[in-house]
Amino acid sequence: MDVLYFAWVRERIGLPKEKVETTAANVRDLVAELSARDPRYAAAFADLSALRVALDQDLSDFDAPLEGVREVAFFPPMTGG
Amino acid sequence: MRIAVQKDAFDLGEESQRFASDVAISGINAGALVTFTGVVRGSEKGEMVAMEIEHYPGMTERAIKTITQEAQQRWSLADALVIHRHGRLVPGEQIMMVATAARHRSDAFEAAEYLMDYLKSRAPFWKKEMTQDGTGNWVEAKHSDEEALTRWD
């Protein structure tokens, strides 16, 4: 699946987008998998309460299942307007 | 309903006029048009030279569409317009505008406020304040912005 990062999450991880092969059942498991990969991911995902997640461009939550999902995006709370 | 997510500047007068004409042409009996314009505010000490706005292409349009449809239903709006810019903007530049048309003004005002509240916390935009030395600080979401949504529950 495609995994996207925005704002300081993107800066901390060092890339805007990547393809990830995973069997993670839900977002929380995916976060654990990525965090175990590299300290940059661990740093970006250190505090999940400071993050939001979107599944196929719909705002979701960390317990949501990933089955059938093509695009996961991680970002801080939005500041539009 | 028109939604535009763009890098380019927009002309407030032209957009307002076009919105008013669209409403008039549609033949909908709207007695109230409300427009709101957001402008990039400089920092208090003036150290901010620009605001960089990042967004999530695809999701942004989709989120704004959902928010606008919700507003249209809640207040039976005749029409609505949302323009939001991204990229690098300097203080004083127009960053976004919202326009609503309804039969009565209270609906038009309330719907515009609702759109503003939701665009702030539910549309995927992130602002970074850039300083003279080229460094930047991400604007943190305010607790009060999230709280503002509860009044529409």
Side-chain angles (χ1 to χ4, degrees):
Chain A
M1 65 178 71
D2 288 325
V3 182
L4 281 65
Y5 310 104
F6 291 97
W8 59 254
V9 184
R10 169 180 55 74
E11 290 178 339
R12 217 168 275 186
I13 289 172
L15 70 167
K17 186 179 180 173
E18 63 183 322
K19 283 223 180 289
V20 174
E21 294 293 330
T22 181
T23 51
N26 58 33
V27 180
R28 217 173 279 280
D29 291 350
L30 173 66
V31 166
E33 248 183 57
L34 292 168
S35 298
R37 251 194 201 180
D38 185 291
R40 289 173 302 148
Y41 291 90
F45 292 123
D47 178 12
L48 291 190
S49 71
L51 290 178
R52 299 289 179 267
V53 61
L55 301 182
D56 288 331
Q57 306 190 348
D58 275 326
L59 213 52
S60 189
D61 62 77
F62 287 87
D63 294 314
L66 288 177
E67 205 189 331
V69 171
R70 282 161 308 173
E71 187 173 292
V72 181
F74 294 103
F75 42 77
M78 294 99 142
T79 52
Chain B
M1 173 166 94
R2 191 163 79 85
I3 289 160
V5 180
Q6 61 189 54
K7 229 180 157 78
D8 296 339
F10 57 88
D11 186 306
L12 186 56
E14 264 174 38
E15 294 295 349
S16 304
Q17 199 64 57
R18 178 169 160 193
F19 182 71
S21 306
D22 286 350
V23 173
I25 291 164
S26 72
I28 299 161
N29 199 1
L33 303 187
V34 164
T35 66
F36 171 86
T37 315
V39 175
V40 177
R41 186 172 49 223
S43 54
E44 272 173 36
K45 291 176 195 152
E47 68 274 25
M48 184 187 109
V49 294
M51 178 93 89
E52 276 175 12
I53 298 151
E54 182 171 331
H55 78 120
Y56 182 171
M59 180 174 170
T60 312
E61 291 80 355
R62 197 180 154 128
I64 297 177
K65 195 174 168 197
T66 306
I67 294 164
T68 310
Q69 280 172 340
E70 181 69 36
Q72 277 195 300
Q73 279 176 8
R74 271 180 94 138
W75 287 279
S76 22
L77 293 182
D79 202 359
L81 163 73
V82 176
I83 302 175
H84 203 303
R85 294 176 67 193
H86 59 91
R88 190 180 174 93
L89 307 182
V90 298
E93 268 192 273
Q94 287 159 5
I95 171 172
M96 57 95 61
M97 86 173 274
V98 156
T100 53
R103 201 169 160 78
H104 300 291
R105 76 186 142 98
S106 61
D107 284 343
F109 272 115
E110 271 185 42
E113 285 226 48
Y114 173 92
L115 285 171
M116 287 308 307
D117 282 348
Y118 272 83
L119 286 168
K120 255 195 148 23
S121 313
R122 292 290 182 271
F125 289 100
W126 301 276
K127 291 176 183 152
K128 193 179 190 181
E129 293 181 349
M130 304 303 294
T131 50
Q132 205 122 38
D133 59 7
T135 59
N137 294 306
W138 290 102
V139 174
E140 274 187 52
K142 288 196 213 89
H143 186 61
S144 55
D145 289 340
E146 193 61 34
E147 258 181 7
L149 300 186
T150 58
R151 72 166 154 149
W152 305 110
D153 287 347

